[in-house]
Amino acid sequence: MVNGNLSPDNKESFRGLYLSYLFIMGLLVHLYSIPNIFFVYLNDTWRLFAILLWGSFFIAVAVLAYFDYRFQNHERFKTCLFVFTIGLWSMVAINLYGIQALADEPFYQGVYINILWGQLFLILFAWTKWIPIDTRKRVAQGVTIALGAFFLFHLLGSFNSTRGAGIYVFLFGEDAAVALIWPGVALFFSIFWTRVIMAAGIDIDITPEERAREIQRYEAEKEAQKRKLSEEMLSSGRYLEYGELDYPIESIDSYREKGSTTFEDVEFLYRENDIRYFSRIKFHPPKEMILYQENGQWYCQTAGQEPEKVLLSESTIKTEEKLRPFEDDKRAYLKRAIRERLEVPHFVEVPDDIDESKIERYK
């Protein structure tokens, strides 16, 4: 039986989840509720609906955060609840704006509404259990392609529309071109959430056996890539001079020491001052390893050992700059560890402003 009383520690974790869902995940609800209430207007009934929608979102997110915190082992249930809460409120707020903003363009307002009916059909299609999963996946991939194509088309179409030029002006006329800019952005986000809801419907119907096969296929591809890199290293002799590191900021990453022909699992922890911190979990207890760049060369250094030159995987090099904004610093990492009950290596020192008693250490 679940204890309904929240301890002080639980309250802090619950508060963090609530604020995260409310202001980060629910950003689109706020962005579109504000103009729905104050700027676009059809009649008082629609405005009242927009106010009730916005107010009810604060309550719905509280329920979502509570269930997310309390039911740690029910990932599929939490996924459905997340999609239902954040997705539903976002979709309604976004499309309420799109419909109201096109009030002076009834033809395009009708087109917008018909597209919404199409999105509803796609969502129902993705959540229909008797349709084969592979078919639903292919349709979902088609929606992804359509979303990307629409983004590019709208970006090009909106360019220079306010100056009486551009593709939209040529196709729809100057007045309609200007009127379509912001509803087009709303439609993009609406299709985006349609794709997310479709993915949730597909994912929930994947059996444990199918999921296990997908994981095995992914692991096999990852191992094949490792072997390919290792064989290239061995054939060139570079393995005697360089190590290898692949860290796509997943839970477990791969590292090969200089002179070794095998990979080991390492865990990315956090990044501070352009230095990335990892845990070499093969050691008992795990050892700290850092990754840094000096004069254009990447180096790894394990605690108690000399630094060694490493080569990053091609995928890591391509995404290294893009990943920087999403890498936690130490405080963010420790707060996330407290919130998500992650185990923290013993070598990670806890700042004075964080309660160390809340930190769970590796057993």
Side-chain angles (χ1 to χ4, degrees):
M1 183 174 178
V2 176
N3 182 5
N5 297 321
L6 293 175
S7 68
D9 290 355
N10 292 345
K11 286 180 181 178
E12 182 175 340
S13 300
F14 172 79
R15 189 182 302 116
L17 284 170
Y18 179 74
L19 294 176
S20 173
Y21 283 130
L22 183 63
F23 293 113
I24 298 177
M25 302 300 181
L27 181 61
L28 291 175
V29 179
H30 305 305
L31 286 178
Y32 282 99
S33 291
I34 292 171
N36 287 342
I37 296 170
F38 300 106
F39 299 108
V40 293
Y41 179 81
L42 282 183
N43 54 52
D44 290 339
T45 302
W46 286 70
R47 177 171 288 177
L48 176 62
F49 177 71
I51 294 171
L52 293 174
L53 178 74
W54 198 14
S56 64
F57 181 68
F58 290 81
I59 301 172
V61 168
V63 175
L64 171 61
Y66 179 83
F67 276 93
D68 192 0
Y69 182 77
R70 282 300 181 189
F71 297 95
Q72 299 288 334
N73 298 321
H74 295 74
E75 292 300 328
R76 291 193 174 188
F77 171 75
K78 290 192 297 183
T79 297
C80 287
L81 187 60
F82 170 84
V83 169
F84 176 79
T85 304
I86 305 295
L88 178 61
W89 263 260
S90 296
M91 289 277 287
V92 174
I94 290 166
N95 293 318
L96 182 60
Y97 169 84
I99 293 170
Q100 293 189 114
L102 289 171
D104 295 332
E105 298 286 344
F107 173 77
Y108 296 109
Q109 186 184 57
V111 173
Y112 189 99
I113 293 172
N114 286 330
I115 293 175
L116 297 186
W117 283 113
Q119 290 174 237
L120 178 60
F121 169 77
L122 289 170
I123 290 171
L124 293 175
F125 180 87
W127 282 73
T128 302
K129 294 181 178 293
W130 54 262
I131 299 176
I133 286 182
D134 288 342
T135 302
R136 287 185 273 169
K137 283 183 177 179
R138 283 194 291 270
V139 172
Q141 290 169 354
V143 173
T144 302
I145 295 171
L147 180 63
F150 175 74
F151 173 78
L152 294 175
F153 176 73
H154 187 66
L155 189 65
L156 293 173
S158 302
F159 185 70
N160 276 341
S161 290
T162 56
R163 299 179 182 179
I167 298 175
Y168 274 11
V169 173
F170 175 76
L171 293 175
F172 310 119
E174 187 173 345
D175 291 340
V178 175
L180 290 173
I181 293 175
W182 290 111
V185 175
L187 184 60
F188 168 80
F189 285 122
S190 177
I191 298 172
F192 168 80
W193 269 111
T194 295
R195 178 64 180 87
V196 172
I197 296 171
M198 290 177 69
I202 295 169
D203 182 74
I204 201 169
D205 283 339
I206 296 177
T207 64
E209 293 77 14
E210 290 172 329
R211 191 176 300 277
R213 284 197 295 270
E214 287 187 357
I215 293 173
Q216 288 176 355
R217 184 163 55 248
Y218 169 77
E219 292 295 335
E221 291 174 356
K222 192 174 180 180
E223 287 298 322
Q225 182 65 19
K226 289 180 187 178
R227 286 195 298 272
K228 179 182 177 182
L229 291 171
S230 244
E231 288 168 1
E232 291 175 356
M233 282 286 180
L234 289 170
S235 63
S236 65
R238 287 181 295 165
Y239 79 102
L240 295 173
E241 185 180 357
Y242 297 97
E244 294 178 73
L245 179 65
D246 182 14
Y247 73 103
I249 315 303
E250 294 178 355
S251 57
I252 300 295
D253 310 310
S254 302
Y255 174 62
R256 183 190 61 77
E257 274 189 324
K258 181 177 71 175
S260 173
T261 59
T262 59
F263 285 84
E264 65 175 277
D265 290 335
V266 295
E267 182 182 7
F268 173 78
L269 302 176
Y270 58 90
R271 172 179 170 269
E272 280 191 329
N273 301 322
D274 286 331
I275 297 176
R276 292 171 172 87
Y277 292 80
F278 296 81
S279 174
R280 293 187 66 177
I281 55 184
K282 77 168 187 177
F283 292 99
H284 302 284
K287 286 190 176 184
E288 180 183 61
M289 182 180 75
I290 62 173
L291 170 70
Y292 62 95
Q293 193 175 29
E294 191 174 279
N295 298 325
Q297 173 63 55
W298 290 98
Y299 292 87
C300 275
Q301 183 174 12
T302 302
Q305 299 180 13
E306 293 295 320
E308 65 175 31
K309 296 178 182 179
V310 293
L311 299 176
L312 303 185
S313 70
E314 185 177 344
S315 60
T316 300
I317 292 173
K318 288 181 179 179
T319 58
E320 190 265 333
E321 287 292 336
K322 296 179 182 178
L323 290 172
R324 288 189 177 202
F326 302 100
E327 295 176 331
D328 291 338
D329 60 18
K330 181 189 279 190
R331 279 182 173 78
Y333 161 69
L334 291 172
K335 288 179 180 179
R336 182 167 60 87
I338 293 172
R339 184 174 65 251
E340 300 178 9
R341 298 180 177 179
L342 304 176
E343 291 185 332
V344 176
H346 289 278
F347 56 74
V348 177
E349 297 181 359
V350 179
D352 295 336
D353 59 343
I354 294 179
D355 187 354
E356 188 166 1
S357 65
K358 298 178 182 178
I359 301 292
E360 294 186 21
R361 298 289 189 173
Y362 281 158
K363 296 181 176 64

